[in-house]
Amino acid sequence: MKVKICGLSTEATMEAALDAGADMIGLMFFPKSPRHVTLSQACKLADMARGRAEIVAVTVNMDLDGLSRIRELVGPDIVQFHGSEPPEACAAVKVMHGVKVMKAVAVSERADLEQAQFYSIVADWILFDAKPPKGSELPGGNGVSYDWSLLKDLDLAKPFMLSGGLNPENVVEAIRQSGTRALDVSSGVEREPGVKDETLIRAFLAAAKGANVSGS
């Protein structure tokens, strides 16, 4: 079971995630998000994670100049596109920067899964997240979920990751319903928006990894 802890912004919570076995860590580059980090902060956090977990730069409709600066200064392993970026934008960054690409797809019903097929041609990962609540300025990290069973037996050319409304209490059930082998969590391990909780991070990772070992 691969687990990504997203929206990390402090050294203490980064260390908690790495120590507890996170496979990926997400750094948020979106000023409207309470989890946003500056390039300077991101460089320090990425240095902590390098060689211990894959570093994911989470972006939302960012221009090529911004993406280039992140690639040059932070050196992520994966660039995550969490906005309305078309497949060709994902492909361009992959070719230009030689980096893996993850594309988020917003889900509320089965028909929403169809757009993942277009992105799976160029993306290395597809992340299925819940559609944001009406009026939200954040495309993700809203703490809302969807019918996880929509992903059961999904036939997709690339690996996918489940996100949206996950927390230590429901993650085992989410794995059972979806059949996923990869998870992404952000708000579900926070004590308030943007403030990660080390205890919740460890609890989530223990539950997720334990579910995999037990075959749940």
Side-chain angles (χ1 to χ4, degrees), residues 112-134:
D112 296 322
L113 302 179
E114 294 178 8
Q115 63 177 311
Q117 301 294 343
F118 298 104
Y119 288 102
S120 67
I121 298 170
V122 296
D124 298 278
W125 282 91
I126 300 295
L127 185 146
F128 291 107
D129 199 359
K131 284 189 176 180
K134 188 175 181 179

Side-chain angles (χ1 to χ4, degrees), residues 13 28 71 137 142 169 200:
T13 54
M28 176 65 68
R71 178 61 178 148
E137 290 189 295
N142 292 294
E169 286 71 42
L200 290 175

Side-chain angles (χ1 to χ4, degrees), residues 136-147:
S136 174
E137 290 189 295
L138 304 180
N142 292 294
V144 295
S145 62
Y146 53 97
D147 181 0

Side-chain angles (χ1 to χ4, degrees), residues 3-211:
V3 180
K4 171 169 165 267
I5 306 294
C6 200
L8 292 162
S9 58
T10 69
E11 293 183 13
T13 54
M14 174 64 76
E15 187 55 45
L18 295 169
D19 184 61
D23 301 283
M24 298 179 182
I25 58 90
L27 301 174
M28 176 65 68
F29 298 92
F30 186 52
K32 292 182 179 179
S33 171
R35 304 163 188 98
H36 173 70
V37 289
T38 64
L39 283 171
S40 177
Q41 288 174 301
C43 288
K44 293 177 182 178
L45 295 169
D47 284 345
M48 292 178 65
R50 209 172 310 280
R52 300 173 68 185
E54 287 189 284
I55 302 161
V56 183
V58 184
T59 66
V60 180
N61 299 325
M62 183 175 284
D63 60 31
L64 287 175
D65 285 344
L67 291 166
S68 295
R69 284 179 59 79
I70 290 171
R71 178 61 178 148
E72 178 184 353
L73 298 175
V74 181
D77 301 294
I78 301 171
V79 173
Q80 178 177 325
F81 295 92
H82 213 110
S84 57
E85 305 91 352
E88 52 267 30
C90 301
V93 169
K94 187 173 181 177
V95 171
M96 287 172 59
H97 298 294
V99 66
K100 292 180 183 178
V101 166
M102 180 182 294
K103 180 66 180 81
V105 173
V107 177
S108 65
E109 58 186 22
R110 185 171 298 278
D112 296 322
L113 302 179
E114 294 178 8
Q115 63 177 311
Q117 301 294 343
F118 298 104
Y119 288 102
S120 67
I121 298 170
V122 296
D124 298 278
W125 282 91
I126 300 295
L127 185 146
F128 291 107
D129 199 359
K131 284 189 176 180
K134 188 175 181 179
S136 174
E137 290 189 295
L138 304 180
N142 292 294
V144 295
S145 62
Y146 53 97
D147 181 0
W148 299 315
S149 68
L150 293 175
L151 304 183
K152 191 75 171 179
D153 301 320
L154 180 66
D155 184 16
L156 197 63
K158 298 293 174 62
F160 69 86
M161 184 168 281
L162 172 64
S163 185
L166 299 175
N167 59 53
E169 286 71 42
N170 67 18
V171 64
V172 173
E173 180 62 17
I175 293 168
R176 186 192 69 79
Q177 288 189 25
S178 67
T180 187
R181 306 299 293 175
L183 302 156
D184 172 280
V185 66
S186 185
S187 61
V189 291
E190 293 178 344
R191 44 180 192 268
E192 61 184 83
V195 182
K196 292 288 185 289
D197 184 288
E198 295 168 44
T199 300
L200 290 175
I201 289 172
R202 293 190 179 97
F204 186 91
L205 281 158
K209 299 285 186 177

